[in-house]
Amino acid sequence: MALIGNLSSELTNKKFDWSRPIRDHVTEMANLVAKLNSMGMQMSESFLVQFILNSLPTEFGQFQVNYNALKEKWNFQEIKAMLNQEKWRLKKMKENSIHLMTHDGASTSKSKSGKKDKEIKVKEGGVHKEKKCYF
């Protein structure tokens, strides 16, 4: 009984943390469910899919909303494939994002490379402030 409790707790508390491929994370969760099933603790595939969705970080929020809006739910193989696609989409978005840095101190019109920094206006709280883009 203690082993069932430990496996159930591990399954419930498992979180995806980007330290390894998402397919490994999903497979590990499926293996936990298979172990529990073999010990007489029957869990359906839809239950596994819900545990997988609950284990995802906030970056997958839109994915979760879209899944919950579907009338027809996915099985284990479908969720595994879709999560792999979503992981690549999120990774590509991260690679294509830029960071806007602000500095309230004294500024110069030349960067270290001697090129003039591009100044942009950003509206903050109803006030336009000058910002520099270093992208």
Side-chain angles (χ1 to χ4, degrees):
M1 259 338 240
L3 183 56
I4 290 175
N6 289 342
L7 291 173
S8 297
S9 178
E10 187 178 346
L11 179 66
T12 308
N13 295 317
K14 189 165 269 318
K15 299 292 179 200
F16 178 65
D17 63 4
W18 298 98
S19 64
R20 59 203 180 114
I22 196 159
R23 72 177 96 70
D24 292 351
H25 169 76
V26 170
T27 300
E28 189 174 313
M29 292 188 79
N31 289 341
L32 287 170
V33 167
K35 285 179 188 176
L36 286 166
N37 285 341
S38 72
M39 296 175 176
M41 180 87 170
Q42 295 302 311
M43 290 191 186
S44 68
E45 191 171 18
S46 61
F47 202 60
L48 169 61
V49 168
Q50 196 57 53
F51 271 118
I52 291 167
L53 288 169
N54 292 342
S55 75
L56 300 174
T58 57
E59 293 95 334
F60 288 85
Q62 189 62 47
F63 179 86
Q64 291 166 317
V65 168
N66 290 340
Y67 176 80
N68 288 327
L70 295 174
K71 287 184 181 178
E72 191 145 331
K73 301 304 181 187
W74 298 327
N75 65 29
F76 172 71
Q77 291 302 325
E78 291 168 326
I79 194 91
K80 189 175 180 180
M82 295 302 232
L83 281 172
N84 199 42
Q85 287 179 5
E86 180 68 2
K87 178 202 66 163
W88 285 110
R89 188 188 71 79
L90 290 169
K91 185 176 179 182
K92 187 170 182 150
M93 280 180 51
K94 280 184 180 181
E95 290 172 357
N96 291 332
S97 68
I98 62 169
H99 299 278
L100 177 65
M101 296 174 51
T102 62
H103 179 65
D104 292 333
S107 63
T108 62
S109 63
K110 300 266 184 190
S111 66
K112 289 180 183 177
S113 65
K115 295 179 182 173
K116 184 166 175 37
D117 295 323
K118 185 175 185 177
E119 293 184 9
I120 58 173
K121 289 187 179 186
V122 176
K123 191 171 186 176
E124 289 181 2
V127 178
H128 286 283
K129 293 187 175 185
E130 295 290 323
K131 306 290 180 188
K132 291 190 178 188
C133 180
Y134 297 95
F135 181 67

